[in-house]
Amino acid sequence: MSADAIFTREGDLFVPTGHARGPWDPSQQHGGAPAALMTGAMEALVPGFQLARLTVEFLGTVPLAPLRVEAEVWRPGRRMQLARSVATLEDGREVARGRAVFLHRQELDGVPPGTAGSALRSGPGDGREERWWDEHADEGFHRTGMEMRWVEGDWSRGPATVWFRLRHPIVEGEPVSGAQTAAAAADFGNGVSQVLDWNDWLFINTDVTVQLHRPPQGEWVALDARTIVEPGGVGLSVSTLHDERGPVGTGQQTLYVGRR
């Protein structure tokens, strides 16, 4: 029977289900799964504040193995709070570190809404499914963890606009925040907008950064994604993040580029 969450709790450990699996190696997680998990751990420490910036740095591949996630507010304040988190394996090896800026949530008179731009012309209901090329993968973050609706592009090459919705809670029995959905989706930027052939090249993201000027509303977050690579071996994926009302922020990934 398929699990009903990306992670389940066992004591102080978060145990990944098959929905957290990445597309390249059945023994590894997709980066969006631990990124969303760490985001939730930091959000829980700062009620009344909203996520303004998140960076998750991957210290290597993240195995499909139980994780211990610790988070702390290391710089408290009335207007701004800075948080950090670390994900470790049972043997104590660190696999990811997260840092976040949270700003006090408030309602300001006189500030016009919607100055970031207009909503996408196509919503998730207008999108289509594009099957991942590996039809043997029954579970995975890109298959059963996230629902993906393409409105521009496909799994081949070039820019793409894709709507994302989590099919399951990040942690069993816990609600999912808009910031968690944004973190999970942002880690797909280099995958949906790749510019090099999958079979010949690596373009691995070493981190993911999300900046939000307002919290995403609803279940869906879209990436309007572009990837740049250079002969020097470094690349960058840049995405504008949207909900169904309009833009909510940006996502970026630093890429290592090399031959397979």
Side-chain angles (χ1 to χ4, degrees):
M1 179 180 294
S2 178
D4 293 327
I6 310 299
F7 295 91
T8 61
R9 284 184 184 266
E10 291 187 6
D12 65 345
L13 296 174
F14 295 92
V15 180
T17 67
H19 303 311
R21 193 187 312 276
W24 298 114
D25 187 322
S27 67
Q28 297 173 7
Q29 295 186 44
H30 187 286
L37 182 65
M38 297 168 76
T39 299
M42 290 185 285
E43 280 188 296
L45 301 177
V46 288
F49 286 71
Q50 70 180 49
L51 180 69
R53 178 181 58 77
L54 163 77
T55 295
V56 175
E57 298 165 340
F58 300 108
L59 308 183
T61 58
V62 181
L64 195 72
L67 297 177
R68 182 174 288 108
V69 175
E70 299 176 339
E72 65 172 349
V73 175
W74 63 273
R75 196 280 192 187
R78 291 189 302 111
R79 297 184 178 92
M80 177 179 72
Q81 299 205 45
L82 303 182
R84 57 192 173 197
S85 63
V86 59
T88 60
L89 301 176
E90 289 184 272
D91 62 6
R93 179 166 65 90
E94 294 184 8
V95 292
R97 294 181 179 179
R99 295 173 290 123
V101 176
F102 292 91
L103 300 180
H104 178 61
R105 187 180 299 120
Q106 55 189 322
E107 296 295 333
L108 299 175
D109 294 331
V111 177
T115 57
S118 58
L120 293 173
R121 290 179 294 176
S122 300
D126 303 313
R128 67 190 186 281
E129 290 191 41
E130 290 284 341
R131 299 290 288 179
W132 176 251
W133 59 271
D134 183 3
E135 295 297 328
H136 300 292
D138 294 329
E139 286 186 318
F141 203 60
H142 58 297
R143 293 283 296 276
T144 58
M146 298 286 279
E147 181 178 357
M148 303 171 63
R149 296 287 176 175
W150 298 70
V151 294
E152 292 185 22
D154 54 34
W155 281 118
S156 56
R157 299 189 203 177
T161 303
V162 188
W163 287 95
F164 293 84
R165 176 171 65 177
L166 282 158
R167 296 183 186 270
H168 306 281
I170 295 297
V171 179
E172 185 177 23
E174 297 184 8
V176 176
S177 70
Q180 286 181 291
T181 303
D187 198 62
F188 280 85
N190 63 324
V192 300
S193 66
Q194 75 280 1
V195 295
L196 297 173
D197 191 306
W198 301 93
N199 297 311
D200 300 326
W201 295 93
L202 297 169
F203 36 95
I204 303 168
N205 63 298
T206 62
D207 53 54
V208 59
T209 294
V210 174
Q211 290 184 287
L212 298 174
H213 50 82
R214 66 174 177 85
Q217 303 296 310
E219 296 180 301
W220 292 95
V221 169
L223 298 188
D224 188 14
R226 304 289 185 274
T227 290
I228 303 164
V229 297
E230 296 289 348
V234 176
L236 178 67
S237 286
V238 180
S239 303
T240 302
L241 307 182
H242 296 254
D243 64 11
E244 294 185 78
R245 290 174 47 198
V248 297
T250 61
Q252 296 190 49
Q253 299 166 292
T254 307
L255 307 181
Y256 165 80
V257 183
R259 288 278 185 181
R260 287 193 179 278

